[in-house]
Amino acid sequence: MANIDTGERSLISIDQMPEGFLYGLHAAPECQYFVALSNLENKSTSVSLLEITGNRASVIWQDTVEYMLHSAVWDCERLLFKNEVGSLSVFELKNGKVEQNSDIPVLGRFYSPIATNNGVALVKGTEYKRALVMEGEQGYQGLTPHMNHKLAHPKYWDDERILFLSDESGEVQLKRIELANRELRLVASLSSLEAIGKMVLNQKMGLIAIGVGETIHIYKIDDALTQVQHLKTIAGINPYFYKDSITFARKSGNITNLYMMGLNSNDAQLIVPGGHSGMEKDGELYFDYWSKLGVWKYKEDGKHELTYELPFEIYSLVKSDEELIVQSLKNDYFKLTENGPEKLKFTRISWLKEVRNGTSLGVERNTAETVIYFANWR
């Protein structure tokens, strides 16, 4: 503990250290209590209130939240922190005891709260405007207006329609664009999804797979693209359809392994130990490893063929009806040619999602502004 005015420092001994790795302390002026944040092994956070008596401190209250907290607000009367549903949990110290007072709803996303003289500040962060765009030999074409909410994972269903995900309504929605007139239509609200995730399509079988966190949701969509039916969920990441199966990865410690499952089966078969993600092209399955550089062609006998050597790590494979395209960890895109990787340049596309008939489809992102909200206690 240090006196800011005099620079005098003194050591405070804690009778019983909070569990986990201590990474945050929050104090208030002329207050004998302070808040400690500790990171636990399962990425949850231990929040502790400690009382200082002389040169010793002891824990008088502790709570655990199932996520990582970056900050808390403590003014010697009230303790606030962000909860998992995006509101502020408020606790009050009364007569030496901590009681939960209420939850304060907050509209929209925000980062952890920061204490001010008589209230709190909420950092909304740098907000971006997004739009779906196409780039080709004829230049740039905007498919949607620039919007503050997420527009993600646009994919060609055919030459006339594009499917994409949006959270405009506050929940994940599947939408489509009619390329002939740029008309946007709602296909379905996907209430089973907690957030927007990676989407892949199987047009031949009328299937959609969306990976959120470490769970993959599979849907059946009708021919008119007007409604979907949730079929099943699979534990895994990085889904991709391959023939009459779906490939995906599962984490195992610090690595991933690549699996394959028949679409009418619930049994997952390990096909590539250490595999990271796969993609079908021209009837072949290509994949990358978690810890090796390059792109491999899958072989059922396990003798996989190194097709392209690369000097960088891959983040994902991008669907293309021309050469294979990969995204690097630095968010650069490369076309894989016989002479080596060739970097692609775009004027508007920030995230490339597919190339079809020489036209690149993706998401443009423009920086808007950083927003900070202030609130005083009443």
Side-chain angles (χ1 to χ4, degrees), residues 131-133 143 151-157 162-165 177 199 201 351-354 361-363:
L132 302 186
V133 297
L143 300 177
L151 303 170
H153 300 288
K155 297 293 174 64
Y156 289 99
W157 183 260
I162 288 172
L163 293 178
F164 68 97
L165 298 174
I177 300 175
M199 180 173 71
L201 311 177
W351 295 294
L352 177 66
K353 294 304 176 182
E354 188 172 345
L361 172 65
V363 179

Side-chain angles (χ1 to χ4, degrees), residues 108-219:
R109 296 182 178 87
F110 67 96
Y111 293 99
S112 296
I114 301 170
T116 62
N117 288 336
N118 188 35
V120 296
L122 301 180
V123 181
K124 298 286 286 186
T126 302
E127 295 186 346
Y128 298 93
K129 292 183 179 294
R130 299 172 176 85
L132 302 186
V133 297
M134 299 169 65
E135 286 191 39
E137 294 182 356
Q138 298 180 351
Y140 158 84
Q141 300 178 57
L143 300 177
T144 67
H146 286 83
M147 304 177 184
N148 288 323
H149 58 270
K150 283 187 178 180
L151 303 170
H153 300 288
K155 297 293 174 64
Y156 289 99
W157 183 260
D158 50 33
D159 290 339
E160 300 174 351
R161 296 169 293 180
I162 288 172
L163 293 178
F164 68 97
L165 298 174
S166 168
D167 65 354
E168 180 179 6
S169 65
E171 64 179 356
V172 180
Q173 293 181 328
L174 177 65
K175 296 184 177 182
R176 76 174 190 271
I177 300 175
E178 304 288 340
L179 290 177
N181 54 18
R182 300 292 194 270
E183 183 179 1
L184 273 67
R185 295 185 179 180
L186 174 66
V187 177
S189 294
L190 306 178
S191 57
S192 57
L193 300 186
E194 298 177 355
I196 286 179
K198 177 181 179 181
M199 180 173 71
V200 293
L201 311 177
N202 183 327
Q203 291 87 340
K204 185 179 295 185
M205 301 187 70
L207 296 176
I208 297 172
I210 302 174
V212 179
E214 296 185 22
T215 302
I216 299 167
H217 299 257
I218 299 181
Y219 300 86

Side-chain angles (χ1 to χ4, degrees), residues 41-329:
E41 291 184 358
N42 59 356
K43 297 183 179 180
S44 59
T45 302
S46 173
V47 184
S48 305
L49 183 64
L50 295 92
E51 181 179 11
I52 301 174
T53 305
N55 290 327
R56 305 192 68 84
S58 57
V59 177
I60 66 167
W61 175 85
Q62 188 273 335
D63 191 19
T64 300
V65 293
E66 302 300 324
Y67 44 90
M68 178 73 172
L69 286 180
H70 297 286
S71 72
V73 170
W74 169 245
D75 65 1
C76 210
E77 295 181 14
R78 290 169 290 248
L79 169 64
L80 289 84
F81 51 81
K82 181 179 179 180
N83 61 35
E84 59 185 351
V85 297
S87 59
L88 288 172
S89 292
V90 183
F91 296 82
E92 288 188 327
L93 178 63
K94 294 181 178 180
N95 301 320
K97 294 184 179 181
V98 177
E99 300 176 357
Q100 182 163 7
N101 180 290
S102 63
D103 282 345
I104 301 176
V106 180
L107 182 62
R109 296 182 178 87
F110 67 96
Y111 293 99
S112 296
I114 301 170
T116 62
N117 288 336
N118 188 35
V120 296
L122 301 180
V123 181
K124 298 286 286 186
T126 302
E127 295 186 346
Y128 298 93
K129 292 183 179 294
R130 299 172 176 85
L132 302 186
V133 297
M134 299 169 65
E135 286 191 39
E137 294 182 356
Q138 298 180 351
Y140 158 84
Q141 300 178 57
L143 300 177
T144 67
H146 286 83
M147 304 177 184
N148 288 323
H149 58 270
K150 283 187 178 180
L151 303 170
H153 300 288
K155 297 293 174 64
Y156 289 99
W157 183 260
D158 50 33
D159 290 339
E160 300 174 351
R161 296 169 293 180
I162 288 172
L163 293 178
F164 68 97
L165 298 174
S166 168
D167 65 354
E168 180 179 6
S169 65
E171 64 179 356
V172 180
Q173 293 181 328
L174 177 65
K175 296 184 177 182
R176 76 174 190 271
I177 300 175
E178 304 288 340
L179 290 177
N181 54 18
R182 300 292 194 270
E183 183 179 1
L184 273 67
R185 295 185 179 180
L186 174 66
V187 177
S189 294
L190 306 178
S191 57
S192 57
L193 300 186
E194 298 177 355
I196 286 179
K198 177 181 179 181
M199 180 173 71
V200 293
L201 311 177
N202 183 327
Q203 291 87 340
K204 185 179 295 185
M205 301 187 70
L207 296 176
I208 297 172
I210 302 174
V212 179
E214 296 185 22
T215 302
I216 299 167
H217 299 257
I218 299 181
Y219 300 86
K220 177 73 174 177
I221 188 168
D222 66 335
D223 294 338
L225 307 187
T226 58
Q227 56 185 348
V228 299
Q229 176 189 0
H230 188 270
L231 298 181
K232 63 179 179 180
T233 58
I234 300 171
I237 60 174
N238 300 335
Y240 205 90
F241 291 107
Y242 173 61
K243 296 182 178 179
D244 58 351
S245 301
I246 185 169
T247 66
F248 54 90
R250 285 177 176 168
K251 294 181 180 179
S252 177
N254 294 325
I255 67 169
T256 60
N257 298 309
L258 202 60
Y259 291 81
M260 185 181 299
M261 178 185 292
L263 293 172
N264 296 319
S265 171
N266 290 318
D267 296 326
Q269 175 189 358
L270 175 63
I271 59 172
V272 182
H276 175 244
S277 63
M279 185 184 70
E280 181 181 20
K281 180 170 177 59
D282 302 327
E284 301 284 355
L285 178 63
Y286 293 87
F287 70 91
D288 68 307
Y289 281 100
W290 177 267
S291 58
K292 298 180 183 179
L293 301 182
V295 176
W296 276 258
K297 183 187 293 186
Y298 170 73
K299 299 293 183 181
E300 291 186 0
D301 60 5
K303 298 179 180 179
H304 312 305
E305 176 186 332
L306 176 60
T307 308
Y308 296 97
E309 295 185 15
L310 298 174
F312 54 82
E313 292 182 85
I314 293 175
Y315 178 73
S316 68
L317 304 170
V318 180
K319 184 177 181 181
S320 171
D321 58 4
E322 299 176 347
E323 294 92 343
L324 275 171
I325 295 176
V326 298
Q327 178 187 11
S328 72
L329 290 178

